[in-house]
């Protein structure tokens, strides 16, 4: 039987463990290039996700938003993301327009790298995922793809993700 974290202070730490794999995907690593952030992509008929990030703790560091195919083989795996946007953090609420290549099923992971060191600092950084899933302790906080998957049609899908910190 799986146990779930109920203590809100521990949720951020557990999710930080789950997104540790994508700290190595920073722009410094020479991996895939970032997508240029363009809010106008969320005003047309092209597939996109308008992500509202809630609870950004500080104005320091960078926020990374990554779009993945909603498959077990790809979710939070190194270099499996489709698009990544990195933006300077803004305390409070941030809006991000994530372009989607075509209608389909996807998952989004978010990391607030508070000191922009490209690493997950468990006591400082925050994270979140599409659909704001409960964190599974037995899986080191990595939410299963079934909990983060969402459909995107030919238009813009609104989504809110709550960033959790330790």
């Amino acid at each position: 039987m799986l146990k779930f974290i109920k203590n809100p202070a521990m949720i951020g730490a557990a999710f930080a463990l789950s997104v540790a794999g994508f700290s190595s995907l920073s722009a410094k690593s020479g991996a895939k290039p970032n997508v240029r952030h363009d809010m106008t992509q969320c005003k047309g008929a092209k597939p996109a996700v308008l992500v509202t990030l809630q609870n950004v703790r500080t104005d320091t560091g960078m926020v990374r938003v990554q779009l993945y195919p909603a498959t077990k083989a790809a979710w939070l795996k190194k270099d499996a993301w489709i698009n990544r946007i990195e933006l300077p953090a803004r305390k409070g609420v941030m809006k991000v327009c994530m372009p989607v290549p075509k209608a389909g099923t996807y998952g989004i992971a978010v990391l607030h790298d508070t000191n922009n060191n490209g690493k997950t600092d468990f006591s400082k950084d925050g994270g979140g995922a599409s659909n704001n899933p409960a964190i599974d302790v037995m899986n080191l906080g990595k939410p299963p793809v079934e909990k983060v998957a969402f459909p995107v049609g030919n238009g813009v899908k609104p989504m809110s993700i709550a960033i959790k910190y330790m």
Side-chain angles (χ1 to χ4, degrees), residues 9 14 17 26 54 58 85 89 118 124 162:
L17 285 170
S26 70
Q54 305 282 343
T58 69
I85 295 173
K124 297 176 185 169

Side-chain angles (χ1 to χ4, degrees), residues 5 34 55:
I5 295 177
N34 293 340
N55 307 325

Side-chain angles (χ1 to χ4, degrees), residues 93-153:
V93 176
M94 295 178 64
K95 296 225 181 233
V96 178
C97 180
M98 176 61 73
V100 175
K102 62 183 181 179
T105 306
Y106 299 94
I108 290 181
V110 179
L111 175 68
H112 179 193
D113 182 1
T114 58
N115 62 4
N116 197 28
N117 67 355
K119 300 177 183 176
T120 301
D121 298 312
F122 301 114
S123 64
K124 297 176 185 169
D125 294 343
S130 44
N131 302 328
N132 296 302
I135 305 302
D136 177 355
V137 177
M138 299 302 289
N139 203 15
L140 292 179
K142 180 179 172 183
V145 70
E146 297 83 10
K147 300 284 186 178
V148 300
F150 62 93
V152 177

Side-chain angles (χ1 to χ4, degrees), residues 5-163:
I5 295 177
K6 295 192 193 279
N7 179 346
M10 294 303 293
I11 291 174
F15 193 78
L17 285 170
S18 74
V19 296
F22 85 92
S23 67
S24 64
L25 298 177
S26 70
K28 300 169 192 148
S29 73
K32 298 178 191 177
N34 293 340
V35 172
R36 186 177 68 83
H37 187 235
D38 180 359
M39 287 299 288
T40 64
Q41 292 183 351
C42 281
K43 294 183 180 181
K46 292 181 180 178
V49 182
L50 179 56
V51 183
T52 301
L53 302 175
Q54 305 282 343
N55 307 325
V56 179
R57 185 179 280 174
T58 69
D59 286 329
T60 61
M62 297 294 285
V63 172
R64 292 184 189 100
V65 182
Q66 293 184 175
L67 176 75
Y68 289 85
T71 65
K72 287 181 184 181
W75 174 239
L76 293 181
K77 301 290 193 240
K78 184 176 181 175
D79 293 331
W81 50 269
I82 299 166
N83 288 331
R84 177 187 61 216
I85 295 173
E86 289 186 328
L87 298 167
R90 281 195 329 263
K91 185 177 180 177
V93 176
M94 295 178 64
K95 296 225 181 233
V96 178
C97 180
M98 176 61 73
V100 175
K102 62 183 181 179
T105 306
Y106 299 94
I108 290 181
V110 179
L111 175 68
H112 179 193
D113 182 1
T114 58
N115 62 4
N116 197 28
N117 67 355
K119 300 177 183 176
T120 301
D121 298 312
F122 301 114
S123 64
K124 297 176 185 169
D125 294 343
S130 44
N131 302 328
N132 296 302
I135 305 302
D136 177 355
V137 177
M138 299 302 289
N139 203 15
L140 292 179
K142 180 179 172 183
V145 70
E146 297 83 10
K147 300 284 186 178
V148 300
F150 62 93
V152 177
N154 289 322
V156 177
K157 166 109 177 157
M159 174 171 296
S160 181
I161 297 177
I163 307 298

